[in-house]
Amino acid sequence: MRLSSLWIRFLSVLVPSDDRRDWTEEWQAELAAIGGSMTHAWGALADAWYLRTDGWTMDGMIRDVRTAFRGLVRSPFFTAIAGLTLAIGIGANTAIFSVVDAVLLNPLPYPESDRLVSYNFEAPGLAVQAPVIPLSEGLYLHYLENARSLDAFAVFNNGSVNLVTDGDPQQFASISVTSQYFDVLGIPPLLGRGLVEGEDRPGAEPVVVLGAAVWEQSFGSDPGILGRLVEMDGVQRRVVGVMPADVRALTEEVWLPLEIDTEGPVTGSLGLIGLGRLAEGITIEAADTEMQDLLMRFVEANSDALPPELIEQAGLASDVKALKELIVRDIRQILWVLLGTVGIVLLIACANVANLFLVRAEGRQRERALRAAMGASRLDIVRQYLTESIALAAGAGLVGLGLASLGVRGLMSLAGDGLPQVFEVGIDGSVLVFTLVISIGSGVLFGLFPAMGRGTRDLAHSLKDGGRSATGGRERFRVRSGLVVAQIALSLVLLVGSGLMLRSFAALRDVDPGFEAEGLLTFAYSLPEAEYADAAMVIDFHRRLSERLRALPGAERAGTITGMPLTGLNAASAMEPADQPFGEGELGPIIERRQVTPGFFAAMKIPIVDGRPLAWGDQGTEYRGVVISETLASAFWPGRSAVGQMIQSQGDTENPWEVVGVAGDVLFDAVQDEAQPVLYLPVMAGTAESPGVAYSGDVVVRVGADPLAAVQGARDALRAVDPRLPMINPRTVESVVEESMVSTSFTVILLGIAAGVALLLGTVGIYGVVAYIVSRRTQEIGVRMALGAPAATVLKGVIGQGLRLTAFGVVIGLLGAWGVSRALASLLYGVTATDPVTFIGTAGFLASVSLLATWIPARRASRVDPVQALRAE
């Protein structure tokens, strides 16, 4: 069988069964006239589509397009409604696809970015909420010397730096990096150079590489900046380079050398994130294998600091993965879900427009019959219909692009920090191609329905009765009804998904984080170690700042913590009870550690359930007192009071702390996570030899109704203590809680908008079908009422037809939602993917809306004047 015959059989499935034979015979005749010896299906279809038996010309195509545009212009209301409906669907898809394309499909904005890898560890036995387990200084030097699968390898950690110029002190996001960092990313500088070997070693001259924004903002884009000394955190650093403005690395604005002591590197403390560039021809799997082998060799050589049994218990293993995979891990599933969602909206929009085209085609049956009688072939008529639908879709695509450009801005605003800043989202070439494809595809999809109209044998009837053929009417009614059922089903799928996410969001908002966020102002600071070399100076700074903040008008309490809850900061270590230490080779639980000042628990309204909060005397050189969370107290001393007990870092028997209080549990990682055990340490948590003081922190001030009104007062208090310190990111603690749920709220809002649009289109669809039924049955209804049929009977009959369509759509939609909701399962909290309340509630709501949409035209039908109806007919 020839391919052209196969195509005819495939296309014939789209044709109503009553006309399938007419269509098939006509297509075969057309193909035979064009050239029956064609062997390629595409060529046959193209010829059948574009060529006439009397020869096709470019003028013919232009004439078809001109005729299509004239037809659309003659029906401005129809064109506007259909075009806007389609533009909304196309615009939504384009906007979401632009984000998907930039974040998931495009490579990272670095040279040969497929060779960039995250070079770190995994440790499932530690149960730590972190994307990767970082390296220690010793491990870094071991890999730097021995790894052969990497062309360049660097480690870094994020922080902040205070820049003091002639103006106000400013703080910028900084990143401390080893010398090969810029070689790894392959970023060429705008001015000067990056770091060179040796500048990341103790004793080297302090240098800095500026970002273009810092260079412009603080130094007026002065080209003479290279070689100048600038003061950062009390240290005079020489500027050696400026990075270009289009560098979107890991959110840093200033690059500093990360000093690694090659003579005495720290072996057991894991805190450096590894980044590598694979050697040419090396796969990620090969690099991972080499890294694991080097890890085992390092553990064997450093068994004192890294006991092999503890490594085995923690499950510490190499974790080499593409850098992009690490960056997009949290947003990947959400974006695919949203793209699928707006895809459903586009299908609903196409179904709606197809229904509009079918209504319009009803009024053009006589025109179509006349054209056929004058010699136009079936393919001529189909081509004209599709030319018109594609022209409409193309115009809608242009409008959709405009809507998408606005939508992208809204998406970026809603997503906030949920979208990685390394990507630049916008309308580029691939997005334009996507818009073109879905526009033309949509035009073909909804244009096929009126094109696949009636058969040749109905033409005489169309000419005689003006186009009101009963057979054609029944066919079109079945098609329109099927489209409405599809709209209702797809709308229900989106409503269920939106309902599940909304219930999850509501459940998250009802979670008690362990503190009271209302009325709290927070801001951050960072003390320069060069200016606060003495631990007593650090403690004095915290004490004086707390006193000044408490003296603010309306202020109740003030305190500081090194890492606010729900901000994603992890700082943890293995701990054990001093009276029941873990055995040799047994790894203790990894406990979150925070340093806090007195007043913190009162400011946050975190209850002290046993003992007392920390006092200024609870310092390493005075009294080693700590507060622990309820979860930690229950884990270490179940069934008895933890107050008075001693707790220590695992294996450190010489420096235990005494538990002076037990605080209520607080959520530190995420709202949806369980409360983790937490150890609250004083500002000075170490010893006289190694003070371990807090050089940075987040301040919280309870000031009442409007926390932001106290920002200026808090800034003045900070300047009074140290005028060279900038206030960093002042905001309310309520906003911190909101930002912790940004991914969920982002998904809820977009799914809600999509579901709302789907509901509107579905309601319009069923209203249109029922109104169409009423218009087609006006004469019948008039006759029945003239013969004595009561209005209630007519009302019930019309509503029944609409409800049958709704029932079919709801049943299909529930089945579809049951399957699709599985994709949302990992995004839900406090509700299952098959939650019966959501399924039944949304189905009932959609049925109610459909009932209303059905009742309006049904009520109009029940008020038909029999005399006027019969006279009109």
Side-chain angles (χ1 to χ4, degrees), residues 502-513 667 671 741 829:
L502 184 60
R503 292 199 64 193
S504 293
F505 188 62
L508 286 174
R509 292 185 67 88
D510 288 340
V511 170
D512 180 9
L667 300 177
V671 176
M741 298 184 287
Y829 174 82

Side-chain angles (χ1 to χ4, degrees), residues 121 135-146 153-156 177-181 200-201 258 260 262 266 272-275 298:
F121 302 113
L135 293 78
S136 67
E137 293 181 358
L139 278 165
Y140 159 67
L141 293 173
H142 178 64
Y143 286 123
L144 182 66
E145 181 180 355
N146 297 289
F153 178 47
V155 291
F156 67 90
V177 302
T178 52
S179 60
Q180 293 189 19
Y181 179 84
D200 56 355
R201 298 293 182 259
L258 175 61
I260 304 291
T262 56
V266 178
L272 304 176
I273 303 297
L275 192 66
F298 185 81

Side-chain angles (χ1 to χ4, degrees), residues 123-366:
L126 295 182
V128 175
Q129 299 288 337
V132 295
I133 303 299
L135 293 78
S136 67
E137 293 181 358
L139 278 165
Y140 159 67
L141 293 173
H142 178 64
Y143 286 123
L144 182 66
E145 181 180 355
N146 297 289
R148 298 293 175 262
S149 58
L150 300 176
D151 272 350
F153 178 47
V155 291
F156 67 90
N157 56 35
N158 293 305
S160 58
V161 64
N162 297 330
L163 172 64
V164 180
T165 59
D166 295 336
D168 291 334
Q170 305 169 77
Q171 183 171 87
F172 296 101
S174 68
I175 182 170
S176 298
V177 302
T178 52
S179 60
Q180 293 189 19
Y181 179 84
F182 296 103
D183 297 327
V184 171
L185 293 182
I187 303 174
L190 178 65
L191 295 176
R193 60 173 175 81
L195 302 180
V196 297
E197 187 176 356
E199 287 180 336
D200 56 355
R201 298 293 182 259
E205 179 189 15
V207 297
V208 62
V209 177
L210 303 177
V214 178
W215 177 47
E216 178 182 357
Q217 177 181 336
S218 301
F219 302 101
S221 301
D222 181 5
I225 189 66
L226 295 180
R228 183 185 303 181
L229 293 176
V230 297
E231 183 181 344
M232 291 184 170
D233 283 345
V235 176
Q236 296 293 320
R237 294 184 175 274
R238 190 174 304 280
V239 178
V240 297
V242 176
M243 303 309 294
D246 60 350
V247 170
R248 296 175 302 280
L250 304 175
T251 72
E252 58 266 26
E253 299 172 292
V254 173
W255 290 265
L256 305 173
L258 175 61
E259 293 186 358
I260 304 291
D261 185 1
T262 56
E263 300 300 323
V266 178
T267 300
S269 178
L270 306 177
L272 304 176
I273 303 297
L275 192 66
R277 177 172 286 273
L278 294 176
E280 192 72 39
I282 299 297
T283 65
I284 290 178
E285 293 75 17
D288 189 71
T289 300
E290 182 192 46
M291 184 183 185
Q292 181 65 24
D293 179 63
L294 291 176
L295 172 63
M296 292 298 98
R297 287 161 53 186
F298 185 81
V299 169
E300 292 174 5
N302 297 272
S303 57
D304 292 340
L306 297 172
E309 56 273 16
L310 293 184
I311 297 298
E312 183 178 355
Q313 184 180 342
L316 190 68
S318 62
D319 184 24
V320 180
K321 63 181 64 168
L323 179 61
K324 184 174 182 179
E325 182 181 337
L326 180 67
I327 293 175
V328 304
R329 67 188 186 281
D330 294 331
I331 198 70
R332 181 190 301 275
Q333 184 181 10
I334 291 175
L335 290 181
W336 285 123
V337 166
L338 291 177
L339 186 60
T341 296
V342 294
I344 292 176
V345 171
L346 181 58
L347 288 177
I348 296 173
C350 286
N352 203 281
V353 175
N355 259 328
L356 292 175
F357 262 73
L358 283 168
V359 172
R360 189 164 183 261
E362 283 294 317
R364 300 175 65 185
Q365 285 304 306
R366 187 174 181 82

Side-chain angles (χ1 to χ4, degrees), residues 637-651:
W637 298 282
R640 54 191 175 122
S641 175
V643 176
Q645 303 292 341
M646 305 300 289
I647 188 172
Q648 63 193 28
S649 295
Q650 186 168 6

Side-chain angles (χ1 to χ4, degrees), residues 33 39 43 48 62 188 201 216 227 334 347 355 376 399 415 429 513 542 544 549 621 669 720 728 739 795 822 860:
T39 57
I62 295 174
R201 298 293 182 259
E216 178 182 357
I334 291 175
L347 288 177
N355 259 328
V399 177
H542 287 295
R544 292 168 56 205
L549 291 173
T621 55
D669 292 325
I728 307 166
E739 288 172 14
L795 182 69
R822 297 295 193 278
R860 186 166 62 246

Side-chain angles (χ1 to χ4, degrees), residues 770 774 777 781 793-803 854 857-858 861:
V770 176
V774 171
R777 294 179 58 195
I781 292 172
T793 302
V794 173
L795 182 69
K796 180 179 178 181
V798 175
I799 289 178
Q801 286 184 297
L803 289 184
T854 301

Side-chain angles (χ1 to χ4, degrees), residues 846-865:
L846 181 58
S848 300
V849 173
S850 298
L851 176 61
L852 178 62
T854 301
W855 178 80
I856 295 174
R859 184 170 178 268
R860 186 166 62 246
S862 67
R863 295 185 175 184
V864 168
D865 184 346

